């Protein structure tokens, strides 16, 4: 199926947008056998599904006419889980139906309901909205469902996850019997199957979630990081990859606020997207990303649902997603519309197993490795700075600039240093706005996913037994075991099982660390941070490189 068989105004819109070929989901919903039928489509954001249902609705909206009739009671209703997605759908359908004379009205939570009522009263061809707000307008009689010929549930699984089942059922009960119902869902769990059964007639099932479509253009990486260095890893990744737009995911609003604050402080231009923002604030945040005033968006899962920013080149999972679906949804913010993207899962080394299971369950191929070092960022900076400086030098200079340059070259202070001094000054200026890269501890190549059950043997032969360390807090301090173990784990980035025997003496405490963890422990303990940073920890014997973890 190609776009050639579509009504002329739709073809014109697609051509104007530069879309020559249908994506797989668009081809699938335009096959002749789908005409007039209910559809249950598995498709993810990024697959072109919005245009897919936009095109699929053409017969219901236009019939055989060359244009849409004058706008009156709406002909199609589209329900989406979040405000952003609904507004995005509206924008997408607006250009698609512009040449056909389409009028699209949105009804979304958080926007002014009175203005929406006014828009509805002027007539619409398509109404797009979020479940709660649409139900409100239906109940108040602002939205007349009597002429509806089609209903689309977009991201239906997400709407159920967000607890919108009741609203959806209320909406579906209101719309006329003979309408066409299209359901789009990334996955089809039991709740969706039940909803389809209850409200669709003989639906055609379409699978358009081929791996090629959903994540063909995304390079997945999984990086092992010390738990307290996640933020540093985020900094270095942003600096190394330097994408036009990056999205960084956290698990909670509080974590979003903290990370956004810390990134801004370091000089990144950031915005945050989380549930606590007003609609106006969220729109402003997205606009700042689109027009380049901000480049990093720190977000929670729900707030980032369905967001479509074609320039988004990097997704960082600063906190691991709770399940494989979330991993895929988050990653799907990048690699959109045929562009390349990178998705980086940061895995605290203490949770490597969890990370491995997550990647396996999502059925993605990830390259495992360490977080980028400060050195790597500096090396990449050097390349970019040379490129930037060369590009500047290649530009035709303005007369004003040449005049200043001549004065500079004539100045004895500059003449003494020569061209090298001037070039170095230019590099300094170009480098100044770049946030400094962070020093990151090296994580042993394959840290143990599980620690050995047996405590390390006595010290001495460090190859078999543990490596002993000493710290300057003893019985006369607060070195009781309840405080000691968590302190050592925190300070040295090891697990409880990696600490062996502990001897609390009067003024100091000696303890044993599993040999394979000793180097990591020593490095982390040296770079102490926080309130206990003053406590000195020093090895009592040479610490060798990571030995092999004992087999269990
Ligand atoms: P969606 O899956 O609806 O979120 O769409 C993802 C992106 O793909 C949007 O930016 C669309 O405008 C774009 N898109 C939709 N159809 C096509 C097409 N046939 N060719 C290229 N890009 C498309």
């Amino acid at each position: 199926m190609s776009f050639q068989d579509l009504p002329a105004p739709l073809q014109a819109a697609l051509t104007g947008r530069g879309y020559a070929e249908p994506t797989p989901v668009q081809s699938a919903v335009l096959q002749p056998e789908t005409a007039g039928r209910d559809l249950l489509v598995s498709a993810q954001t990024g697959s072109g599904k919005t245009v897919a249902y936009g095109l699929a609705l053409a017969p219901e909206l236009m019939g055989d006419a060359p244009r849409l009739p004058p706008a009156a009671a709406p002909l199609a209703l589209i329900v989406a889980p979040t405000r952003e997605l609904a507004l995005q759908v509206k924008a997408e359908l607006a250009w698609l139906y512009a040449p056909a004379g389409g009028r699209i009205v949105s009804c979304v939570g958080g926007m002014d309901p009175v203005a929406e009522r006014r828009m509805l009263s002027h007539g619409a061809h398509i109404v797009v909205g979020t479940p709660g707000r649409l139900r409100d307008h239906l109940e108040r009689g602002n939205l007349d469902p009597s002429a509806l010929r089609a209903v689309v549930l977009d991201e239906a699984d997400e709407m159920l996850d967000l607890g919108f089942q009741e609203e959806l059922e209320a909406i579906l009960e209101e719309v006329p019997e003979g309408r066409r119902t299209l359901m789009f869902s990334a996955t089809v769990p039991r709740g969706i199957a039940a909803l389809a059964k209850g409200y669709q007639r003989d639906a055609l099932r379409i699978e358009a979630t081929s791996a090629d479509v959903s994540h063909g253009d995304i390079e997945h990486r999984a990086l092992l990081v010390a738990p307290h260095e996640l933020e540093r890893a985020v900094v270095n990744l942003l600096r190394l990859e330097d994408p036009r737009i990056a999205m960084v995911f956290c698990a909670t609003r509080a974590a979003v606020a903290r990370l956004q604050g810390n990134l801004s402080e370091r000089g990144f231009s950031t915005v945050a997207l989380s549930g606590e923002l007003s609609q106006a604030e969220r729109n402003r945040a997205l606009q700042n990303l689109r027009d380049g005033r901000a480049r990093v968006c720190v977000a929670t899962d729900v707030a980032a649902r369905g967001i479509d920013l074609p320039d988004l080149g990097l997704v960082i999972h600063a906190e691991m997603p709770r399940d494989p679906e979330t991993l895929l949804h988050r990653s799907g913010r990048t690699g959109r519309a045929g562009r390349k993207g990178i998705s980086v899962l940061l895995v605290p080394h203490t949770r490597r197993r969890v990370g491995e299971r997550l990647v396996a369950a999502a059925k993605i191929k990830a390259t495992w490795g360490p977080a980028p070092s400060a050195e790597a960022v500096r090396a990449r900076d050097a390349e970019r700075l040379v490129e930037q400086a060369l590009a500047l030098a290649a530009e035709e200079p303005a007369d004003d600039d040449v005049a200043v340059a001549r004065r500079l070259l004539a100045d004895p202070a500059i003449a003494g240093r020569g061209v090298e001094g001037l070039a170095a000054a230019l590099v300094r200026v170009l480098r100044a706005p770049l946030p400094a890269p962070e020093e990151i501890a090296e994580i042993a190549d394959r840290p143990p996913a599980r620690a050995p059950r047996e405590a390390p043997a006595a010290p001495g032969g460090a190859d078999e037994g543990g490596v002993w360390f000493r710290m300057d807090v003893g019985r006369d301090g607060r070195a009781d075991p309840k405080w000691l173990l968590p302190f050592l784990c925190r300070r040295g980035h090891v697990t409880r099982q990696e600490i062996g025997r502990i001897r609390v003496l009067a003024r100091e405490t000696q303890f044993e660390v599993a040999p394979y963890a000793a180097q990591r422990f020593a490095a982390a303990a040296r770079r102490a941070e926080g309130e206990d940073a003053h406590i000195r920890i020093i090895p009592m014997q040479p610490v060798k490189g990571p030995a092999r973890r004992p087999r269990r």
Side-chain angles (χ1 to χ4, degrees):
M1 180 79 198
S2 76
F3 289 149
Q4 253 86 65
D5 306 305
L6 293 166
L10 295 182
Q11 281 188 43
L14 290 160
T15 312
R17 194 84 179 177
Y19 296 172
E21 293 293 327
T23 66
V25 65
Q26 290 162 6
S27 273
V29 303
L30 293 174
Q31 294 303 318
E33 66 267 24
T34 63
R37 288 189 62 178
D38 285 357
L39 306 177
L40 175 53
V41 186
S42 314
Q44 259 139 357
T45 26
S47 60
K49 69 183 164 61
T50 316
V51 169
Y53 59 71
L55 297 176
L57 293 178
E60 280 70 34
L61 293 168
M62 306 178 62
D64 292 329
R67 280 175 68 82
L68 283 159
L75 305 172
L77 183 65
I78 294 161
V79 196
T82 62
R83 304 180 277 196
E84 271 82 19
L85 183 62
L87 293 177
Q88 222 163 264
V89 167
K90 180 187 175 190
E92 193 91 338
L93 297 180
W95 65 255
L96 186 60
Y97 275 95
R103 186 176 144 80
I104 329 272
V105 169
S106 60
C107 299
V108 298
M111 300 287 239
D112 177 9
V114 180
E116 290 175 356
R117 190 180 66 199
R118 205 167 38 243
M119 298 295 275
L120 288 170
S121 72
H122 295 156
H125 297 106
I126 304 175
V127 173
V128 186
T130 48
R133 180 57 65 90
L134 284 175
R135 182 171 74 168
D136 270 5
H137 282 304
L138 279 168
E139 283 174 358
R140 287 162 204 257
N142 304 334
L143 173 56
D144 172 6
S146 63
L148 285 173
R149 296 183 196 150
V151 175
V152 179
L153 303 189
D154 195 354
E155 298 203 353
D157 50 351
E158 186 53 22
M159 292 201 277
L160 289 195
D161 279 357
L162 292 173
F164 285 132
Q165 180 162 357
E166 221 179 279
E167 284 83 354
L168 290 181
E169 289 179 351
I171 293 168
L172 290 168
E173 294 290 343
E174 285 292 313
V175 295
E177 276 285 312
R179 93 272 161 168
R180 209 176 157 201
T181 307
L182 311 184
M183 283 177 51
F184 283 74
S185 199
T187 56
V188 182
R190 234 181 305 150
I192 294 294
L195 200 65
K197 203 155 171 254
Y199 294 94
Q200 288 190 307
R201 273 167 305 134
D202 183 27
L204 192 63
R205 181 86 178 78
I206 293 178
E207 287 270 4
T209 43
S210 92
D212 283 353
V213 182
S214 51
H215 7 92
D217 291 325
I218 303 179
E219 177 197 335
H220 291 275
R221 298 181 198 160
L223 307 184
L224 287 173
V225 184
H228 80 302
E229 292 199 323
L230 287 167
E231 201 168 294
R232 295 178 190 201
V234 171
V235 168
N236 285 6
L237 274 167
L238 291 171
R239 287 285 280 96
L240 189 76
E241 299 302 335
D242 193 34
R244 181 38 207 94
I245 301 179
M247 190 164 266
V248 187
F249 283 98
C250 299
T252 61
R253 289 177 190 186
V256 165
R258 201 169 45 238
L259 183 58
Q260 192 215 357
N262 290 344
L263 290 177
S264 300
E265 196 183 347
R266 285 179 163 92
F268 292 96
S269 49
T270 63
V271 294
L273 275 188
S274 69
E276 68 205 350
L277 300 184
S278 73
Q279 182 59 31
E281 286 170 321
R282 289 153 73 96
N283 288 350
R284 194 166 337 117
L286 286 173
Q287 195 48 42
N288 283 349
L289 289 169
R290 291 204 175 93
D291 63 23
R293 264 174 299 170
R295 295 180 54 182
V296 181
C297 176
V298 189
T300 58
D301 292 314
V302 171
R305 279 253 149 225
I307 280 178
D308 180 27
L309 297 162
D311 286 337
L312 201 153
L314 173 67
V315 165
I316 303 176
H317 310 263
E319 291 180 312
M320 284 207 278
R322 60 190 142 86
D323 51 36
E325 287 78 31
T326 312
L327 175 63
L328 289 175
H329 274 298
R330 285 176 171 189
S331 306
R333 294 309 105 222
T334 185
R336 297 172 75 77
R339 299 191 199 187
K340 295 217 179 313
I342 302 172
S343 167
V344 183
L345 180 67
L346 294 183
V347 183
H349 64 68
T350 46
R351 301 185 65 208
R352 180 175 181 136
R353 275 281 165 89
V354 179
E356 283 173 343
R357 274 200 298 268
L358 202 56
V359 168
K363 299 195 175 60
I364 52 176
K365 273 211 179 68
T367 318
W368 286 77
S373 62
E375 207 38 60
V377 176
R378 282 191 279 265
R380 187 73 62 89
D381 278 352
E383 283 168 29
R384 289 201 189 111
L385 289 166
V386 167
E387 269 172 37
Q388 278 180 19
L390 286 177
L392 282 173
E395 278 173 28
E396 191 63 39
D399 293 347
D400 282 1
D401 294 346
V402 172
V404 176
R406 289 204 177 121
R407 276 183 60 186
L408 266 176
L409 286 170
D411 193 294
I414 295 291
R417 296 233 178 122
V419 181
E420 186 177 292
L422 273 182
L426 171 63
V427 171
R428 194 164 60 243
V429 171
L430 291 174
R431 196 196 290 277
L434 302 176
E438 296 280 350
E439 299 300 331
I440 288 188
E442 249 178 65
I443 300 285
D445 187 33
R446 244 202 109 80
R450 289 241 206 117
R453 189 169 288 152
E454 68 274 23
D463 284 344
E464 303 112 31
V467 178
W468 282 83
F469 289 77
R470 180 172 60 211
M471 61 186 252
D472 52 4
V473 178
R475 256 194 310 277
D476 54 357
R478 49 175 169 158
D480 70 291
K482 254 210 325 272
W483 169 82
L484 257 174
L485 255 184
F487 164 72
L488 292 176
C489 295
R490 200 169 59 237
R491 173 83 174 258
H493 310 306
V494 291
T495 60
R496 282 164 186 261
Q497 289 84 352
E498 288 166 339
I499 304 282
R501 286 170 295 175
I502 299 179
R503 293 188 201 126
V504 182
L505 308 175
R507 266 186 217 95
E508 70 172 38
T509 301
Q510 300 174 350
F511 55 92
E512 205 179 20
V513 176
Y516 59 83
Q519 202 179 41
R520 170 166 30 111
F521 180 90
R526 250 197 321 275
R527 289 174 314 115
E529 283 177 344
E531 59 185 85
D532 296 320
H534 61 281
I535 299 176
R536 276 197 325 145
I537 296 184
I538 42 175
M540 297 167 67
Q541 60 194 96
V543 181
K544 299 199 184 130
R548 281 207 164 275
R549 173 168 74 96
R551 286 196 175 275
R552 305 194 59 208

